[in-house]
């Protein structure tokens, strides 16, 4: 490999910016309002999933007696409520919540002639990217408004690759969610897990973050794997 790598696709929440915690806190708040506690252990299951898919997971933790009483609740009302809570969390978001080392890594990628894209399942992605002031760094952005199928379906990454004029096989995808790594592998891109290797064990390479990482080092790690 990776002489033919033409582009990088970055997941947004949990890879570029520390918003994954706000998604989870919002689901925890919704569960609290419904009368139960969503355990921390649900967090890794929720990362990367779209709203309806996330709601299904969140409601799995509901005690049976509540599920019976609440069975007629409209899922859209629940996901809208979660989104209102999330929007309040991100209202003050700014560049200080970019994850360490991401910005220099993006600049290096551009300097080395790679195309860069965001591939996020979030319908809030563009608002977040604007608040971070990084839109101009990307050649393409595909988000939850461009797709009909949530990760682990590869639709969002295929969309981002196509917008850059690349084949997924020529792309490296950075993801913090097991569902996102599965999506990357399904479209035969190179997958880089950002976070816990025990959760991201299907990734080609796992890094603990971008701080101090160079593009050259990353390509070397992918070469060693292949
Ligand atoms: P929204 P990513 C995903 O974003 C999040 O990981 C996931 O927690 C969230 O439910 C999903 O977006 C939908 O987000 O409710 O804002 O449309 O990780 O793919 O950037
Ligand atoms: Mg993510």
């Amino acid at each position: 490999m990776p002489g033919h790598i033409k582009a990088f696709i970055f997941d947004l929440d949990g890879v570029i910016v520390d918003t994954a915690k706000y998604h989870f806190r919002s689901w925890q708040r919704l569960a609290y309002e419904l009368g139960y506690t969503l355990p921390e252990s649900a967090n890794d299951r929720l990362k990367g999933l779209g709203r309806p898919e996330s709601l299904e997971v969140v409601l799995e933790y509901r005690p049976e007696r509540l599920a019976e009483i609440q069975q007629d609740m409209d899922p859209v009302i629940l996901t809208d409520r979660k989104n209102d809570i999330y929007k309040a969390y991100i209202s003050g978001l700014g560049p200080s919540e970019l994850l360490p080392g991401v910005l220099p890594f993006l600049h290096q990628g551009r300097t080395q002639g790679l195309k860069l894209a965001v591939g996020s399942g979030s319908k809030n992605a563009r608002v977040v990217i604007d608040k971070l002031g990084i839109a101009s760094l990307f050649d393409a952005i595909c988000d939850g408004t461009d797709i009909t199928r949530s990760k682990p379906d590869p639709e969002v990454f295929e969309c981002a690759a196509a917008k850059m004029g690349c084949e997924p096989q020529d792309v490296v995808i950075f993801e913090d969610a097991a569902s996102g790594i599965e999506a990357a592998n399904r479209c035969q891109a190179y997958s880089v897990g950002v976070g816990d290797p025990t959760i991201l064990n299907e990734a080609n390479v796992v890094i603990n973050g971008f701080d101090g990482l160079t593009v050259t080092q990353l390509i070397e790690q992918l070469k060693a794997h292949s």
Side-chain angles (χ1 to χ4, degrees):
M1 110 110 210
H4 62 99
I5 291 298
K6 297 190 176 111
F8 286 170
I9 300 177
F10 297 83
D11 171 53
L12 181 65
D13 299 310
V15 168
I16 290 177
V17 60
D18 199 9
T19 39
K21 65 184 181 204
Y22 297 138
H23 277 293
F24 186 58
R25 283 181 202 166
S26 307
W27 287 119
Q28 280 191 309
R29 174 76 204 180
L30 180 76
Y32 173 79
E33 291 177 3
L34 291 173
Y36 66 104
T37 301
L38 185 66
E40 289 293 329
S41 56
N43 193 2
D44 281 315
R45 292 183 65 198
L46 291 167
K47 286 179 184 169
L49 301 187
R51 287 181 206 176
E53 296 81 6
S54 299
L55 180 66
E56 279 182 30
V57 173
V58 168
L59 293 180
E60 273 180 31
Y61 292 85
R62 193 168 50 167
E64 215 170 301
R65 66 180 168 80
L66 282 179
E68 276 168 27
I69 303 165
Q70 296 169 350
Q71 62 183 333
D72 292 331
M73 289 192 87
D74 183 346
V76 176
I77 290 177
L78 298 179
T79 50
D80 282 354
R81 172 67 187 138
K82 181 268 176 179
N83 195 47
D84 286 343
I85 301 166
Y86 179 69
K87 283 201 290 196
Y89 270 124
I90 61 168
S91 59
L93 194 74
S96 66
E97 289 186 74
L98 280 163
L99 284 161
V102 167
L103 212 48
F105 192 81
L106 290 170
H107 283 295
Q108 270 186 61
R110 286 191 76 84
T111 307
Q112 300 199 14
L114 293 160
K115 292 198 169 189
L116 305 180
V118 172
S120 167
S122 175
K123 292 188 165 88
N124 293 295
R126 275 162 210 271
V127 173
V128 169
I129 289 166
D130 286 345
K131 282 177 182 287
L132 298 172
I134 56 171
S136 61
L137 290 174
F138 296 104
D139 299 284
I141 295 171
C142 277
D143 64 21
T145 64
D146 296 301
I147 56 166
T148 56
R149 297 184 300 278
S150 163
K151 297 168 189 174
D153 190 283
E155 186 181 7
V156 75
F157 296 138
E158 288 166 348
C159 164
K163 278 196 186 181
M164 294 188 287
C166 296
E167 295 299 325
Q169 294 90 325
D170 299 333
V171 170
V172 180
I173 294 175
F174 297 87
E175 252 296 345
D176 70 320
S179 58
I181 293 297
E182 184 181 336
N185 292 342
R186 274 165 65 175
C187 65
Q188 292 170 337
Y190 294 94
S191 54
V192 176
V194 184
D196 183 346
T198 61
I199 305 282
L200 304 168
N201 57 337
E202 296 294 323
N204 296 148
V205 162
V206 179
I207 58 173
N208 57 19
F210 293 95
D211 207 13
L213 182 72
T214 67
V215 168
T216 310
Q217 280 167 351
L218 182 89
I219 301 282
E220 287 304 317
Q221 284 189 50
L222 284 166
K223 242 188 232 173
H225 165 271
S226 60

